[in-house]
Amino acid sequence: MIVITGATGALNGATVEHLLKRVPAEQIGVSVRDTAKAQHFADRGVRVRQGSYEDPAALRHSFEGAEQVLLVSSNDPHADAVALHRVGIDAAVAAGARRILYTSHQGAGADSPFRPARDHAATEQLLADSGVAWTALRNGFYAHSLGWLLGPWQQTGTITAPADGPVSWTDRADAAEAAAVILAGDRAFEGPVTLTARQALTFDDVTALASEKTGRDIERITLDDEEWIAAKVAAGTPEAMARMMLTTFRAAREGRFAGVDPLLTELLGHEPRTVADQLAADIDAA
């Protein structure tokens, strides 16, 4: 059995949908906080059990009989993510899982200015120490994040942000499908694997694409870090959140998100969605 956590969320929920196209429903289980929100999976034959990183006993029960467990990374900025992930790893080991997979992030590193990257690196070390085969899905930075990093550029005609660096913006739905391909396949992926789009783009590149897509002259304005923080706070963003967002730019400037890898394309069997596709969707939704 394959058991997936966080299956009512956007990423792993999509992974379950893709997995249902590849393996029988009775071979899939989901571990979720609220089983009512996973009723649509239960109705299709998926085993649905309650489980969360805050409840080790329930989590172990939800993993019962699993050969593979896919752990979703915590998205709570206030939580001790590594401690929560440790609970998930320990529960998977106790349940007898033969492989643990984890939704990591490109640029995972203990010395990264981007805190989630440090959490991912620490979690990968826990996986390496678990004694169980493991795979860390180092997904590229999700392209939908551009929606809040770029600001209200469609209204202002400007992309105003700190200095940045190249980022291999990757579609979350593509990453979800790739996870399903890996889970359902016979090929073993050991340790970290990088799943990114084909290109790494700077905000200058994104600005050029935005101009092309809208037929308008979109301007890229680079602000000093503290100037950008002050502007965000003035616009209503809590300072702690703004400073967390700033670490994304600092990590990008260090090249932490610049690498690209053909594996995602290989797994999908088609070209991944691009930043141009994301911008087109954002423009259509406006």
Side-chain angles (χ1 to χ4, degrees):
M1 174 170 279
I2 300 168
V3 177
I4 297 176
T5 66
T8 55
L11 177 64
N12 278 5
T15 295
V16 175
E17 291 291 350
H18 285 291
L19 202 55
L20 281 165
K21 300 173 185 176
R22 292 169 169 81
V23 300
E26 60 267 22
Q27 295 179 18
I28 304 171
V30 298
S31 175
V32 295
R33 291 179 179 274
D34 184 349
T35 56
K37 292 182 179 179
Q39 187 60 45
H40 60 295
F41 289 137
D43 291 343
R44 293 152 73 185
V46 173
R47 189 184 80 181
V48 175
R49 291 185 178 178
Q50 194 278 329
S52 75
Y53 295 150
E54 290 85 4
D55 188 343
L59 199 62
R60 286 194 298 272
H61 178 253
S62 70
F63 291 170
E64 183 182 13
E67 294 185 358
Q68 298 186 84
V69 173
L70 173 59
L71 300 175
V72 70
S73 56
S74 171
N75 62 359
D76 183 350
H78 307 295
D80 183 341
V82 179
L84 294 176
H85 299 158
R86 183 191 297 273
V87 172
I89 293 167
D90 289 347
V93 172
R98 294 193 302 183
R99 178 173 295 278
I100 305 171
L101 298 93
Y102 166 72
T103 58
S104 188
H105 195 281
Q106 180 188 22
D111 60 346
S112 175
F114 185 53
R115 177 186 163 183
R118 300 196 297 271
D119 291 343
H120 289 307
T123 300
E124 289 183 7
Q125 186 60 54
L126 292 176
L127 288 164
D129 294 340
S130 71
V132 174
W134 62 283
T135 307
L137 306 173
R138 288 187 174 179
N139 298 334
F141 217 109
Y142 296 139
H144 69 269
S145 303
L146 284 167
W148 49 271
L149 287 172
L150 295 177
W153 66 272
Q154 294 190 65
Q155 290 74 43
T156 64
T158 62
I159 290 176
T160 303
D164 68 314
V167 176
S168 57
W169 300 104
T170 303
D171 184 61
R172 180 172 59 189
D174 284 342
E177 182 177 356
V181 173
I182 290 173
L183 285 164
D186 296 326
R187 179 178 170 188
F189 291 87
E190 305 296 342
V193 295
T194 301
L195 302 171
T196 69
R198 286 282 204 175
Q199 291 182 301
L201 305 180
T202 66
F203 272 20
D204 285 347
D205 298 324
V206 174
T207 300
L209 283 171
S211 297
E212 177 185 328
K213 290 293 179 183
T214 59
R216 298 162 53 197
D217 185 15
I218 307 300
E219 183 183 2
R220 165 74 164 111
I221 298 176
T222 303
L223 294 182
D224 172 81
D225 288 357
E226 291 303 319
E227 187 181 5
W228 182 79
I229 291 288
K232 282 294 183 184
V233 171
T237 300
E239 184 174 349
M241 178 60 72
R243 292 198 177 279
M244 168 62 125
M245 292 167 65
L246 180 62
T247 65
T248 304
F249 293 95
R250 288 178 171 166
R253 292 198 292 255
E254 293 182 4
R256 303 276 180 167
F257 312 127
V260 296
D261 194 289
L263 180 60
L264 179 61
T265 304
E266 177 187 335
L267 292 171
L268 296 177
H270 60 79
E271 288 295 319
R273 291 183 78 237
T274 64
V275 169
D277 296 328
Q278 182 66 48
L279 289 175
D282 291 345
I283 292 166
D284 289 344

